[in-house]
Amino acid sequence: MHRRGIRKGIVPYLFLFILMVSIFYGFNILNRKVHVLNYGQLIDYFEQNNITQITIIPRDRAKIYELRGKVKDYKENESFIIRVPLTDEIIEKLLDYHSVHKFKLETEPDPESTSFVLILINVLPILLLIGATFFIVTRQVSGANRSMDFGRSRAKLHEEGKKVTFDDVAGLKEEKEEVRELIDFLKNPKRFQKLGARIPKGVLLVGPPGTGKTLLARAVAGEANVPFYYISGSDFVELFVGVGASRVRDMFRQAKNNAPCLIFIDEIDAVGRQRGTGLGGGHDEREQTLNQLLAEMDGFGSNEGIIIIAATNRPDVLDPALLRPGRFDRQVTVNLPDVKAREEILAVHARNKILSKNVTLENLARRTPGFSGADLENLLNEAALLAVRRNKEYITMAEIDEATDRVLMGPAKLSKKYTDHEKKMVSYHEAGHVVLGLKLNDANVVQKVTIIPRSYAGGYAMMVPKEEKYTATKTELLDQITGLLGGRVTEEIVFNEMTTGAHNDFEKATKIARSMVTEYGMSNLGPMQFEQQTEGVFLGRDYNKSRNFSDQVALEIDKEIRNIINECYEQAKKILLENRDLLDLISSTLLKYETLTKEQIEYLVEHGCIPDEIDYSDYNMTRLREMAKEKGIRGYSKLSREELIKELEK
């Protein structure tokens, strides 16, 4: 347990113990019975031999002796006290009685001679009682304050020490231009007010996960040098109705006190979904929170200096009132980066990493289409972890290749063993994809092919488009489907058998074919759209939406999809039969080396074999050490020639 937690747990028990001791001390004082005697009564007790104990306490300031004692008839809690003049005669007489009757005689110093003892006896119990009372009352008040904090905003103020600027945001050139005027407004609002311009109150960032929406919002605040409040949409919604609305009010109250400032709401679809929809009706707490958010955005003045930036990857489910002018005036789409943007993003994430000379970010960017900014950051981090695990001083292409495979398919299952027949089937399956990628002009190019199992796949071929384009022709889509069907066609040609290894290929091919028929109008049904592309089903809205085609048209859609798949299947079969020798060559090479890169495949097609192993014995020591340095071999300068060659051959 944490030390601070232990202290917090002990403190209440310590105060309780002190309180009990104080109460016990006060109780004993109240139960004591003290008899005040005069001098004559004391002499009578002496003469009757009734005295059992006397304690002499001098009081120097009052010039008296204070005698405390007990008589034989007294109970345990009874005692007497008598004050006599501070003279030697009294003491001599007392000593004479003691010599005769032999009672217990003690002396104590004057307690008033030390202030510490006086405080300890008289003041400390009172202070302990006051402290215990104060502690109990404070606990009660703090508990009440915590219940009052339940409706306060959960928005957090970003730390100034972690300032983010546009230099940290790569690959979003157009998006940064869209939000740059927000920075100018936050810096100099009078410039806009002078011309009567109204800056957008809210900006909605829309895009897939990991594309840099949150980073862009932080950079806006960093460039403008204004406070940055960030909160998730789910932080507003609670079990109790009205709490979310209260948090929204408190958030805007804090923002107005710190204007100009920027509020960032991540995953706004958690609170901004359409009202009154969904199976079973609406959600009172979420809808009240949304209503309050709409009222606050519409209510605060245009020149208050508060700008809201929200992010979501599901704009289709947001309430229309949230997107109207005056609230979220502007939508900025943050798409997946293209090859140039990926190179810029890789340059940002490679700042603190040591890369080998043979690693070029341009080539790496071309090999990672479809990767988001978060994926690229994770890719380089995985490569760095692998380099450390392999005791290398640099990150080489070997680590980057393995990291790419890990991000896409998971770690290699090296312990998983194939049967010889199964391994041969997998090699032919992947070789089929490679051959079609080489022979079809518009098919995706195989960047890398391996028969090492990863995740649930026995092997896989990394296929990327030749060029990244915003649109695709019908011929390109048909060639992509044909390339995806190459694995299954090869299994039938070579083994006259089918395996389950092509299920993911069929999923992708069927999706493309269905989109061609129902969305792109690339079939005999004509240029009509029967379905709309959606990210997912919104319960209660999409299920109740009426179909805009009949059952007969649905049957024709299925027939068209089947025709496209069948035609591509026959095309793939024809190409593979014509290039059977190349198919066998790639399959046998895969069985030997297990993994082939694009460069090795191209060399194999041209020369009929992959490049021979490097003969390091032909190189001098200077060149061997340069090669060892490029590969990140540690301590290469201290190794002998034989040791260097052995390390390089690994």
Side-chain angles (χ1 to χ4, degrees):
M1 186 183 292
H2 197 273
R3 187 175 297 174
R4 185 177 179 183
I6 294 175
R7 289 201 300 267
K8 283 187 175 181
I10 292 177
V11 168
Y13 297 101
L14 182 61
F15 271 105
L16 181 62
F17 173 76
I18 294 173
L19 179 62
M20 293 177 64
V21 171
S22 302
I23 293 174
F24 180 76
Y25 175 78
F27 181 77
N28 286 339
I29 292 177
L30 294 175
N31 284 343
R32 289 179 184 178
K33 188 175 182 180
V34 180
H35 301 275
V36 180
L37 303 182
N38 54 37
Y39 188 72
Q41 290 174 322
L42 179 63
I43 297 301
D44 292 340
Y45 281 134
F46 276 134
E47 292 177 351
Q48 297 171 6
N49 194 21
N50 285 336
I51 301 295
T52 60
Q53 176 184 345
I54 285 184
T55 301
I56 304 173
I57 305 173
R59 300 288 187 177
D60 295 334
R61 292 185 179 182
K63 296 183 179 181
I64 60 172
Y65 282 111
E66 188 176 279
L67 306 179
R68 296 178 180 270
K70 289 189 176 183
V71 182
K72 291 181 179 180
D73 297 336
Y74 283 179
K75 297 179 181 179
E76 185 66 25
N77 61 337
E78 285 186 279
S79 64
F80 68 81
I81 183 173
I82 181 173
R83 293 177 176 81
V84 296
L86 189 63
T87 61
D88 294 337
E89 297 178 0
I90 300 294
I91 297 302
E92 290 177 0
K93 197 169 186 179
L94 182 62
L95 293 175
D96 291 341
Y97 279 114
H98 177 260
S99 61
V100 176
H101 301 292
K102 302 297 182 184
F103 53 85
K104 185 178 180 180
L105 182 64
E106 296 176 346
T107 59
E108 289 184 2
D110 185 2
E112 295 181 359
S113 62
T114 168
S115 59
F116 175 76
V117 177
L118 179 64
I119 294 173
L120 187 66
I121 295 176
N122 298 318
V123 180
L124 183 61
I126 299 174
L127 293 178
L128 291 176
L129 286 171
I130 295 173
T133 304
F134 178 78
F135 174 76
I136 294 173
V137 173
T138 304
R139 289 292 298 271
Q140 295 293 331
V141 173
S142 64
N145 288 337
R146 279 195 295 270
S147 64
M148 295 295 291
D149 289 344
F150 195 63
R152 291 192 176 179
S153 171
R154 296 294 187 266
K156 299 177 181 178
L157 182 63
H158 188 262
E159 298 178 9
E160 294 183 0
K162 300 178 180 179
K163 187 177 179 181
V164 178
T165 63
F166 278 171
D167 294 335
D168 302 308
V169 183
L172 298 177
K173 183 177 180 181
E174 290 78 11
E175 290 80 357
K176 287 190 284 189
E177 290 298 326
E178 283 290 318
V179 298
R180 192 174 295 277
E181 63 184 19
L182 300 180
I183 301 172
D184 296 336
F185 172 77
L186 290 170
K187 286 183 175 180
N188 187 14
K190 294 183 178 179
R191 176 187 171 192
F192 293 84
Q193 297 170 11
K194 183 178 180 180
L195 296 178
R198 181 183 63 82
I199 203 70
K201 293 184 179 179
V203 176
L204 183 65
L205 302 179
V206 180
T211 50
K213 299 185 291 295
T214 303
L215 187 65
L216 181 61
R218 290 174 57 187
V220 172
E223 290 286 339
N225 197 25
V226 296
F228 177 70
Y229 290 93
Y230 62 98
I231 189 171
S232 174
S234 59
D235 288 334
F236 291 112
V237 183
E238 285 287 352
L239 176 64
F240 306 105
V241 176
V243 173
S246 175
R247 290 179 178 177
V248 171
R249 288 191 295 269
D250 189 65
M251 179 182 69
F252 278 93
R253 180 187 60 79
Q254 293 182 26
K256 291 175 183 177
N257 293 336
N258 293 276
C261 68
L262 189 146
I263 301 174
F264 177 67
I265 305 176
D266 197 11
E267 304 295 343
I268 194 173
D269 52 278
V271 68
R273 285 177 175 262
Q274 294 184 21
R275 291 166 290 182
T277 55
L279 296 180
H283 186 291
D284 286 342
E285 163 62 359
R286 181 176 56 77
E287 290 189 2
Q288 284 198 19
T289 306
L290 175 58
N291 291 336
Q292 186 62 45
L293 180 62
L294 296 174
E296 291 288 346
M297 291 189 68
D298 198 40
F300 67 82
S302 59
N303 296 326
E304 287 192 3
I306 302 173
I307 292 179
I308 299 179
I309 296 181
T312 182
N313 53 6
R314 292 296 310 275
D316 55 309
V317 303
L318 294 179
D319 194 278
L322 199 62
L323 304 177
R324 76 157 176 81
R327 287 172 181 147
F328 284 103
D329 305 80
R330 182 176 300 175
Q331 291 190 31
V332 178
T333 302
V334 186
N335 284 320
L336 292 172
D338 58 12
V339 60
K340 184 178 180 181
R342 289 197 299 272
E343 184 178 354
E344 295 175 0
I345 294 171
L346 286 168
V348 171
H349 295 304
R351 288 174 181 171
N352 61 339
K353 294 177 176 61
I354 305 175
L355 300 178
S356 176
K357 293 181 179 179
N358 62 346
V359 177
T360 58
L361 298 182
E362 181 181 357
N363 292 337
L364 183 56
R366 294 185 181 278
R367 298 177 57 180
T368 52
F371 276 51
S372 66
D375 292 331
L376 295 172
E377 191 275 336
N378 187 37
L379 171 64
L380 289 180
N381 184 63
E382 286 288 341
L385 293 175
L386 285 170
V388 173
R389 194 179 304 169
R390 296 174 179 177
N391 296 321
K392 291 188 176 182
E393 296 180 352
Y394 305 96
I395 301 173
T396 65
M397 280 304 301
E399 285 73 46
I400 290 178
D401 283 338
E402 176 65 19
T404 305
D405 295 340
R406 281 172 171 264
V407 172
L408 291 175
M409 301 292 294
K413 304 289 184 181
L414 299 177
S415 60
K416 184 177 180 180
K417 300 299 180 183
Y418 282 129
T419 63
D420 292 339
H421 179 68
E422 187 180 14
K423 190 173 184 179
K424 188 175 181 180
M425 291 189 74
V426 173
S427 68
Y428 267 104
H429 179 104
E430 302 302 338
H433 292 303
V434 176
V435 172
L436 292 176
L438 291 170
K439 297 302 178 181
L440 291 170
N441 293 328
D442 296 312
N444 288 340
V445 179
V446 176
Q447 187 75 33
K448 177 181 178 182
V449 60
T450 179
I451 58 174
I452 298 175
R454 291 179 182 272
S455 185
Y456 296 104
Y460 82 99
M462 182 192 299
M463 298 188 293
V464 299
K466 292 181 180 179
E467 295 180 356
E468 294 184 44
K469 298 188 294 185
Y470 288 100
T471 59
T473 64
K474 182 179 179 179
T475 303
E476 290 172 345
L477 294 176
L478 290 174
D479 284 355
Q480 288 180 24
I481 295 174
T482 305
L484 289 167
L485 298 176
R488 168 58 64 84
V489 175
T490 305
E491 293 171 2
E492 290 192 5
I493 292 174
V494 178
F495 302 99
N496 195 24
E497 188 60 270
M498 301 179 185
T499 69
T500 59
H503 71 281
N504 187 250
D505 299 331
F506 293 158
E507 179 184 351
K508 295 177 181 177
T510 306
K511 184 177 181 181
I512 295 174
R514 188 170 191 88
S515 296
M516 290 175 64
V517 176
T518 61
E519 297 180 36
Y520 308 144
M522 297 179 179
S523 70
N524 293 329
L525 295 180
M528 297 179 63
Q529 188 178 60
F530 300 100
E531 294 178 355
Q532 295 178 352
Q533 187 176 10
T534 57
E535 296 290 335
V537 176
F538 188 16
L539 297 182
R541 185 193 68 185
D542 295 340
Y543 278 143
N544 294 331
K545 186 171 61 176
S546 60
R547 294 173 56 184
N548 54 3
F549 53 87
S550 64
D551 293 338
Q552 180 64 31
V553 174
L555 179 61
E556 293 180 10
I557 289 174
D558 294 338
K559 288 181 179 179
E560 288 294 324
I561 295 173
R562 190 179 299 111
N563 290 336
I564 291 175
I565 297 294
N566 290 338
E567 289 175 5
C568 292
Y569 194 90
E570 294 300 323
Q571 176 73 1
K573 191 172 184 179
K574 178 183 177 182
I575 295 174
L576 290 172
L577 287 172
E578 293 174 353
N579 297 274
R580 177 62 189 268
D581 294 340
L582 180 59
L583 182 67
D584 294 335
L585 176 62
I586 295 176
S587 175
S588 60
T589 308
L590 268 175
L591 284 172
K592 182 179 179 181
Y593 295 99
E594 292 188 332
T595 300
L596 296 175
T597 63
K598 178 185 176 184
E599 293 76 14
Q600 290 174 324
I601 294 172
E602 292 174 349
Y603 191 92
L604 178 64
V605 173
E606 184 177 352
H607 299 89
C609 63
I610 64 173
D612 296 330
E613 295 293 333
I614 299 175
D615 187 4
Y616 293 103
S617 60
D618 295 336
Y619 293 97
N620 56 29
M621 282 294 292
T622 303
R623 179 56 182 155
L624 288 175
R625 286 174 177 170
E626 289 178 355
M627 297 171 71
K629 183 178 179 181
E630 291 177 358
K631 285 195 172 185
I633 298 174
R634 289 189 173 184
Y636 64 88
S637 60
K638 299 179 181 179
L639 298 178
S640 64
R641 181 182 181 83
E642 291 74 16
E643 291 173 335
L644 273 175
I645 293 175
K646 187 181 294 185
E647 289 293 327
L648 289 170
E649 288 177 346
K650 289 181 180 180

